[in-house]
Amino acid sequence: MTELISDGLPTTRHNPFDPPAEVTAIRDEARMSRLKFADGHVGWLVTGHHQVREILGSPRFTTNPSEHHLLDLRFQGEAPPERREVEPGMFLNQDPPDHTRLRKMLQGQFTVRRMNQLSEWIGTIVDDQLEHMRSLGGRADLVKEFALPVPSLVICAILGVAYDERHRFQEDTATLLSLDSTFKEAMDALARIQEFMRELIARKKENPGDDMISDLLATGEPTDEEASNMALLLLLAGHETTANMLGLGTFTLLRHPDQLKILKDEPEVVDNAVEELMRYLSIIHFGPVRTATEDVEIDGHLIRAGDTVVMHVPAANRDPEKFPGNPDELDLRRPASGHVAFGHGIHQCLGQQLARIEMRIGFSRLFSAFPDLRLDVDPEEVPLRTDMGIYGVHSLPVAWSA
């Protein structure tokens, strides 16, 4: 008999770097459990690494939000008035063949080779931002002065978005991702970002540049609406996720001086260090979410057609069946490949190679430029993004010897 979790999904973190202890306990008891949603629907919570990968790789599950209960989980107590159909170009929420067609338009832009060619340019952006930090004296908010600007500058330049216009999407992105936002507030914020992107597409059609959006429009393949929503997804994912990994990752390393010493003393470990930080932190509270399109048996459990399945990536990335030893410890030398922080299957993160390069260069050069970097507040005073869909730190006050 599978235990039913009827009081909602636990989200309270007792340690800033760990998943909720209640979710870890659920995983250790059973890697698949029944979960009751706010609207009464009974679906599944999946916390095991193997089971998460199997579901993410299966074509028998849909990612279409109009088919599942994600919004009921996201806006508990305020069920959306109606199911929203997926808008054209929102390939993250689309299944084949639409997803295949749209993603194929972008895949050539994000190859490992092409991303590696950007390394020197990204290094210059990182160095410039570090020099800016140094000019501030001996203390700064690392999020404001480094973790957020670096990926924002990179993705804006790649897409052809003027960095000076970032206020037009960053404030609304915060509203969209805030777990405190009402459904209406979140949808209004999304509408404003979409309007900004539609204006951008119109400008690019009239005056193309040397950027990814112009290249996409030049193919003549996507409609204007598809292009604007595709660009929107790339813009939001391109700065929010990496920014929070840089901020939370720095906080983590400063709180694990033995691991920070490894990163400083053994620069060759940086590639694996990025993978281990991704595994260890997995900067979402829960997800992704899928719905079964037919009856599916996973690990001896029958998931019925129409059942919503919430996968818990942070718990799965700490699964001792996949990562033996003590997966709750940060170990930069641990072989961390195989984590699901970037997802798995056809929806695996399109920009993962870009994110890896930004983190590899960002962490290495940050601690090289500021070898005595330290927290400028007590660890308990660091404001955590427990109120946001993407986890991290709102700010990270740091200091160094000027």
Side-chain angles (χ1 to χ4, degrees):
M1 181 72 178
T2 304
E3 183 179 355
L4 174 65
I5 305 167
S6 58
D7 296 328
L9 181 63
T11 57
T12 301
R13 295 173 182 256
H14 306 287
N15 179 302
F17 311 121
D18 295 341
E22 294 85 352
V23 175
T24 299
I26 291 169
R27 183 202 63 211
D28 292 345
E29 185 70 24
R31 281 161 171 75
M32 294 183 62
S33 305
R34 302 309 306 268
L35 176 66
K36 187 174 182 179
F37 292 79
D39 67 345
H41 170 75
V42 178
W44 296 85
L45 173 66
V46 183
T47 51
H49 181 276
H50 169 74
Q51 294 82 0
V52 165
R53 277 179 61 95
E54 185 171 354
I55 292 168
L56 289 178
S58 173
R60 294 178 291 179
F61 292 86
T62 178
T63 187
N64 189 328
S66 68
E67 301 294 332
H68 59 54
H69 293 251
L70 171 62
L71 294 180
D72 299 302
L73 190 65
R74 166 72 166 76
F75 299 98
Q76 291 198 42
E78 190 216 349
E82 60 185 20
R83 296 286 178 191
R84 289 173 60 92
E85 293 300 320
V86 177
E87 298 185 42
M90 290 287 189
F91 60 92
L92 184 66
N93 295 325
Q94 291 177 295
D95 301 316
D98 289 333
H99 170 267
T100 308
R101 176 179 64 86
L102 294 168
R103 183 161 172 136
K104 187 177 180 181
M105 296 181 198
L106 295 168
Q107 276 182 319
Q109 304 279 351
F110 286 97
T111 62
V112 175
R113 180 173 176 271
R114 185 160 189 159
M115 291 300 101
N116 284 335
Q117 289 173 341
L118 299 178
S119 292
E120 185 176 344
W121 169 69
I122 292 172
T124 300
I125 290 176
V126 168
D127 289 343
D128 288 347
Q129 210 59 39
L130 290 171
E131 191 59 34
H132 164 71
M133 256 183 71
R134 191 180 302 280
S135 72
L136 300 177
R139 51 173 42 93
D141 172 8
L142 188 95
V143 172
K144 179 183 177 183
E145 309 299 347
F146 181 73
L148 182 57
V150 166
S152 297
L153 283 161
V154 169
I155 197 63
C156 282
I158 288 176
L159 294 178
V161 177
Y163 185 63
D164 290 344
E165 291 189 291
R166 65 192 181 281
H167 66 279
R168 292 195 57 188
F169 61 84
Q170 285 185 346
E171 292 172 10
D172 283 322
T173 297
T175 301
L176 183 63
L177 293 176
S178 172
L179 300 180
D180 294 332
S181 295
T182 65
F183 180 74
K184 184 179 186 307
E185 287 169 343
M187 292 304 101
D188 286 349
L190 176 61
R192 287 190 293 270
I193 302 172
Q194 288 177 314
E195 177 60 27
F196 169 66
M197 298 311 297
R198 282 192 288 270
E199 292 174 13
L200 179 68
I201 294 300
R203 294 202 304 265
K204 293 293 179 187
K205 290 185 72 174
E206 188 172 322
N207 187 24
D210 183 16
D211 56 74
M212 191 178 293
I213 294 179
S214 296
D215 290 347
L216 180 64
L217 292 170
T219 67
E221 293 188 79
T223 65
D224 288 359
E225 192 173 8
E226 285 177 336
S228 65
N229 282 325
M230 291 164 76
L232 181 152
L233 288 176
L234 295 176
L235 182 65
L236 299 193
H239 79 274
E240 271 290 334
T241 51
T242 307
N244 283 290
M245 270 304 302
L246 287 170
L248 186 61
T250 300
F251 184 26
T252 304
L253 290 167
L254 291 175
R255 295 295 293 152
H256 293 79
D258 59 324
Q259 297 302 305
L260 179 53
K261 187 175 188 303
I262 291 173
L263 183 64
K264 290 178 178 179
D265 294 348
E266 304 172 31
E268 68 277 5
V269 84
V270 66
D271 285 5
N272 192 74
V274 166
E275 301 305 317
E276 172 66 355
L277 285 166
M278 288 293 301
R279 180 202 71 82
Y280 184 72
L281 297 173
S282 305
I283 53 161
I284 54 174
H285 291 297
F286 58 83
V289 180
R290 298 288 188 269
T291 296
T293 56
E294 58 184 87
D295 289 357
V296 185
E297 184 173 309
I298 302 289
D299 198 33
H301 299 278
L302 180 61
I303 301 176
R304 296 286 187 184
D307 282 357
T308 296
V309 180
V310 178
M311 286 158 283
H312 204 286
V313 162
N317 276 338
R318 301 284 189 96
D319 189 344
E321 288 188 0
K322 169 61 179 177
F323 301 100
N326 188 350
D328 289 322
E329 287 186 358
L330 179 68
D331 180 1
L332 299 190
R333 295 193 183 106
R334 178 200 313 274
S337 61
H339 66 74
V340 286
F342 285 119
H344 178 67
I346 63 171
H347 288 283
Q348 192 172 35
C349 176
L350 184 63
Q352 61 181 288
Q353 299 304 333
L354 177 61
R356 285 184 168 104
I357 292 169
E358 289 176 304
M359 285 186 278
R360 185 189 311 146
I361 296 173
F363 287 127
S364 296
R365 299 197 185 184
L366 171 65
F367 289 106
S368 176
F370 301 98
D372 64 341
L373 193 74
R374 60 191 181 276
L375 288 176
D376 200 28
V377 294
D378 290 336
E380 296 76 18
E381 295 178 33
V382 173
L384 304 171
R385 287 170 57 101
T386 53
D387 58 335
M388 305 298 286
I390 298 178
Y391 186 57
V393 292
H394 282 293
S395 64
L396 190 69
V398 293
W400 60 92
S401 298

